[in-house]
Amino acid sequence: MINILIVDDQKHIRDGLQAMLHQFPLKLNNIYCAASGIEALNLLRQHSIHIVITDIMMPDMDGLALMAQTKEERIEVEYLIISGYSDFTYAQRAIELGAKGYLLKPLKREDLQTSLDHVWQEIQTRQTLTHNMQHISRLAQETDRKELRMFMQGALNDEAWILQIQDHHPTLWHNYRLCLLREKCWINQPGASSAHSMEAIAYDVFGTQGCICLQHSPYLILAVDGAIDPDALPAALKVALIDAVTVMTDPQQGLKVLPGSYTQVLELYRHSYLFPDQYSILPAHIEHMEQQWQLPYEELYDLFQSVGTDNSGKIAQGISAIFHKNVLQRYHIRYTQQLCGATVKMMEEYERIIRPYMGEEALDLESLRNLFDYPGMRDYIQALQQQLLRLNQFYFEYKHSYRNSQDLNEAIRFIHESYHKPLDLAMVSNHVSLNYAYFSNLFKKNIGKGFAEYLRDVRLDKARRLLAETDYKVVEVAAMVGYESYKSFTRAFRLVMQIQPSEYRQMMRQKVESEVQYRSSTP
């Protein structure tokens, strides 16, 4: 699609040219119009215009002056000049400034169309060549980058190739640092990654000759000019409001040491987790770290003694103390990794005990396996605390449930033993040493009915047996099963059985007599 700008101080000429252009078989995108060279220059600065059709003689800024100014400002555009003057001087000057055609007024439709077709074909040819050259250049750069990455990771080692690639950027490979940029965000966090923005900032800081991108994912790795202050890139990222950690090796000499530099920068990257407040990590940060240690098993055992209690604060404080940054920063990152592994292993042991009682609930211990899956150490410790507190809650409920089952068994035994006496919820909850309201809720949750209903059913079950199997009077049965009055007993019995106690006794005796007659008549 082509964008054309018409420049002429006479409106009827602009309108006529515009109407003529719409008649041509051109794939027009936009046609802009300007009444002066100054207005045209502003439009050229604001829009991507391919061809300008301009008059020469205009007030303020004529067509030739417009061409000269756009050439000075490096605005890429092609010109067709139209004029009512056949003076060769104008034509010569226009050609010197790069005009693709010089057309005389009155303008012939065929001449304009031929000139436009010629210019547009030239533009398309140039665009195609440029695109092809850029594509070839990009393919070559991508090939070099891929081979560099393979060499950096130890998968390629060809002496001739090393010398050839080193010659492409001799200044850089003579003195460079390997730089890793870790953006502080979750891997699966919504939102676009800033990798390309960080790369662009790095090229601004080090220049196109002082920076080569070697890897984009899972983190950005660059080779950068070792002579430039290593704090320059972190400062530029901070200005751009990009929250990232910059890890840099010491200055390196020669492409041959790139694999070793890669190992070093990954080591620094892992250690960056120990310095959550540092935005720039250099070898000096880790060179004094201790290489030998003993894991704090006693502190871990003491911490896990609190699991299953209602003291969640002590657990959170214990994790914070064991994983305190002042402790972690004393040792190589392997200490922290081993400490994480030991903590997760102990959580697994506790989970294994209560797993049959957890149902569909579960801990997400798999998410704690790899420290480096998290944006930083603080995030990992927070996740560890959350899982440990969940374990504490599960374990607490497990222990509490075990105690509750014992308490309920004792309460039910006591009810069946004492149903014939005056009995209420307060007496039973006091017998098992539980709070009245807590015991009421616990009883209903586990038995499926309230205490009063359960006691009524126990008493009536005993009463039915006495009515069916003995000759005690109904009023005597009522007292024997714990009812203080005959009236309250018969009311409860009728509510549950839908008949009176006396009717129930008569029905049961008739049933027994029928069974006896049946057995006696059976040969």
Side-chain angles (χ1 to χ4, degrees), residues 224-237:
V224 299
D225 189 344
I228 294 179
D229 185 352
D231 291 331
L233 181 56
L237 292 171

Side-chain angles (χ1 to χ4, degrees), residues 28-48:
L28 293 170
N29 185 29
N30 287 305
I31 298 177
Y32 301 92
C33 291
S36 69
I38 294 175
E39 184 181 348
L41 186 60
N42 289 330
L43 287 170
L44 286 164
R45 289 167 176 166
Q46 296 171 14
H47 303 283
S48 176

Side-chain angles (χ1 to χ4, degrees), residues 267-278:
E267 186 83 345
L268 288 169
Y269 155 71
R270 288 190 286 267
H271 280 87
S272 70
Y273 278 74
L274 305 181
F275 302 93
D277 301 319
Q278 291 282 347

Side-chain angles (χ1 to χ4, degrees), residues 34 36 54 68 110 151 174 247 271 304 369 436 449 477 509:
S36 69
T54 180
E110 296 79 8
F151 172 63
H174 177 70
V247 178
H271 280 87
F304 276 85
R369 300 288 183 197
Y436 177 92
K449 59 180 72 174
V477 170
R509 287 184 175 179

Side-chain angles (χ1 to χ4, degrees), residues 316-467:
Q317 291 174 2
I319 284 291
S320 297
I322 291 172
F323 284 86
H324 196 279
K325 68 177 183 179
N326 291 343
V327 177
L328 301 184
Q329 289 174 3
R330 285 177 53 192
Y331 303 109
H332 191 279
I333 187 63
R334 288 195 302 275
Y335 169 84
T336 301
Q337 291 177 279
Q338 290 176 11
L339 182 58
C340 294
T343 306
V344 172
K345 186 175 181 180
M346 293 188 75
M347 293 173 69
E348 286 178 328
E349 294 297 325
Y350 273 70
E351 185 198 33
R352 189 175 295 112
I353 296 173
I354 62 173
R355 190 173 296 157
Y357 305 91
M358 293 172 67
E360 295 182 358
E361 297 283 353
L363 297 178
D364 187 13
L365 298 184
E366 285 302 315
S367 68
L368 302 175
R369 300 288 183 197
N370 187 7
L371 162 66
F372 306 117
D373 285 341
Y374 291 80
M377 195 68 213
R378 290 193 183 108
D379 304 274
Y380 180 85
I381 294 173
Q382 184 179 11
L384 184 65
Q385 282 184 339
Q386 289 175 349
Q387 293 300 316
L388 189 54
L389 290 174
R390 286 192 71 210
L391 174 64
N392 177 62
Q393 183 63 31
F394 285 136
Y395 213 81
F396 178 79
E397 291 176 357
Y398 159 72
K399 291 167 65 177
H400 209 58
S401 174
Y402 180 75
R403 284 198 305 271
N404 288 342
S405 63
Q406 291 182 317
D407 293 335
L408 283 173
N409 289 337
E410 175 57 26
I412 290 171
R413 187 200 66 78
F414 182 67
I415 291 170
H416 281 265
E417 184 181 85
S418 309
Y419 69 92
H420 58 286
K421 301 176 184 178
L423 199 62
D424 58 23
L425 181 63
M427 296 172 63
V428 179
S429 63
N430 186 61
H431 176 76
V432 293
S433 302
L434 290 176
N435 173 270
Y436 177 92
Y438 175 77
F439 176 72
S440 176
N441 291 330
L442 178 69
F443 193 95
K444 188 169 185 177
K445 178 181 178 182
N446 287 271
I447 303 303
K449 59 180 72 174
F451 168 79
E453 184 181 358
Y454 183 82
L455 177 61
R456 180 201 67 188
D457 291 348
V458 169
R459 284 173 167 173
L460 292 183
D461 182 62
K462 302 293 185 182
R464 288 195 298 271
R465 291 187 181 183
L466 289 172
L467 289 169

